[in-house]
Amino acid sequence: MALAAPSTLATTAGETVVEMGGTAADAAIVMALVSMCTEPGVCAPGSGGYLTVDPPQGPAVVIDGYMAVPGVGFEGESIAESVTMKYGGGVTTLVGAGSIAVPGSFAALSAASERFGRTPWVELLRLVADVVEGGFPLSQACFTYLIDSGPLIFSQDPACRDALFIGDRVKETGDWVVFEDLAGTLRLIGEQGAATFYRGDLAKEIVVDLEERGSALTADDLAGYEPEIRHPLESEISGWDVVANPPPAVGGVAILDALSQVDRSNNPLDHEIWKDALVGAFRHRREYERHGGEEGMHRLLASAGLKSPSTISVSAVDDEGMAVAATFSAGYGSGVVPRGTGLLMNNSLGEIELVPGGEESLLPGERMMSNMAPTTVRSGGDVVAIGSPGADRITSALAITLIRFLLAGDSLEDAIEHPRLHPERVSPVAIAAERGIELHGPEFRWYEEPHMFFGGVNSAGLIGDRLIAHADSRRVGSAVVV
């Protein structure tokens, strides 16, 4: 089996699942959970996301476990705080209990286990609990994020502060991190099933604590949450069947929009065409954000020539040809851990860029918008699972990687490591780019070296009879073939 994830902690856990006889879905589940729990700030177990599962026989599916809008039966006033941090060139977001949306990760992963797994759920969760029990070293990616966000977001909640700070300073790379109660909570979810997080005693404890702190999350929100099995977007690019995340997420459509524009051009390796295609895809995305709903969805799909059908990413492909790409996000993090659980929670209501109509435009229970785009590509017996973290840079990171892999014929490793560009603004156009992109102009902001700003693509594949995996050097990830 080929495995790629943000850390060796995650891929080692994935290897253990392989030794237990697990499928690619089992390995992806464990790697995703380990990453959520051991990448504080970058992600969190109180998160949401998607798994794109492409089996060797039968149709591919997307399991939607993204965050939903809370507030069913809520009559109070939620409390959130606006903060502005230097990370990513300057980000304003809402944090605190009032920024927490309904988490979907446990529901989605449980659904994947039931449908595509072979290793019992209780064993998968026990393995993750064993990894986090006693603590883990803070990763470089976490430190890079927490040095800006830590004092503003993660210093108020006692459980966060104890785990992530030494005195008044954020812990550094390699320092030991322990979230009390986390291992016990994971074992409980394993023994009682994911339902305990949504409808059991654990759910009651979470709601009572968060309500006291100003959250709009109610017992009805959790009890009513279900993962959704969606038909993926599918497109044929240069002989490869590309399977991507469908609306209401925007990431998959934007990637296929850019890919189709480049594929139809007379020179798909021209960086000017890449720039125009990505700028065009982001313009179409803005149309979707403005119009919203069914009208906006159809406009965005039509722009890509299709029909309807901060973040961690893991990829797994087994020798039978099952490919799983999974991406999960907790936003910028709420900085809140419900007492006695060890579970860091998301701040997805506070991701202002993903709520273009403002919080008042959201209806309790509806899925929120997302950039995430776990993707698979298949041609005959060859198959690749691929994904990336990086907010809206997910689109440009995956589009450029797939252009190089599908259209230029690069190896998976070379495609992932190729220099990238990203439209930071479409009117007027402003582009961030790494050196090696052969374009110049006043609209460009240059990075002299490859940088984690441009995502952290990881991928696993089966090409011919050879399993392959690669993790982007822009972030400290891990890739193994078992």
Side-chain angles (χ1 to χ4, degrees), residues 388-465:
S388 178
D392 64 350
R393 279 96 64 201
I394 291 171
T395 296
S396 50
L398 291 180
I400 289 172
T401 300
L402 289 171
I403 288 167
R404 294 300 310 182
F405 181 70
L406 302 179
L407 302 180
D410 282 0
S411 68
L412 195 58
E413 178 179 355
D414 288 345
I416 290 172
E417 297 299 335
H418 193 280
R420 296 179 191 149
L421 62 87
H422 172 73
E424 296 187 286
R425 192 174 62 240
V426 297
S427 183
V429 172
I431 304 290
E434 296 173 324
R435 292 295 179 188
I437 292 294
E438 297 174 359
L439 294 171
H440 299 281
E443 72 271 29
F444 279 84
R445 182 171 68 89
W446 291 99
Y447 284 76
E448 297 301 322
E449 302 290 340
H451 196 279
M452 66 180 288
F453 173 82
F454 294 92
V457 177
N458 64 50
S459 185
L462 176 65
I463 304 296
D465 59 356

Side-chain angles (χ1 to χ4, degrees), residues 298-321:
H298 290 299
R299 284 173 182 256
L300 189 58
L301 291 170
S303 73
L306 300 167
K307 297 180 180 179
S308 292
S310 210
T311 314
I312 58 94
S313 179
V314 302
S315 303
V317 173
D318 62 30
D319 55 10
E320 297 176 2

Side-chain angles (χ1 to χ4, degrees), residues 51-55 58-63 115-116 229-232 243 246:
L51 298 96
T52 298
V53 184
D54 191 348
V61 300
V62 172
I63 301 176
R115 188 161 179 166
F116 297 104
I229 308 301
R230 299 190 186 277
H231 296 295
V243 174

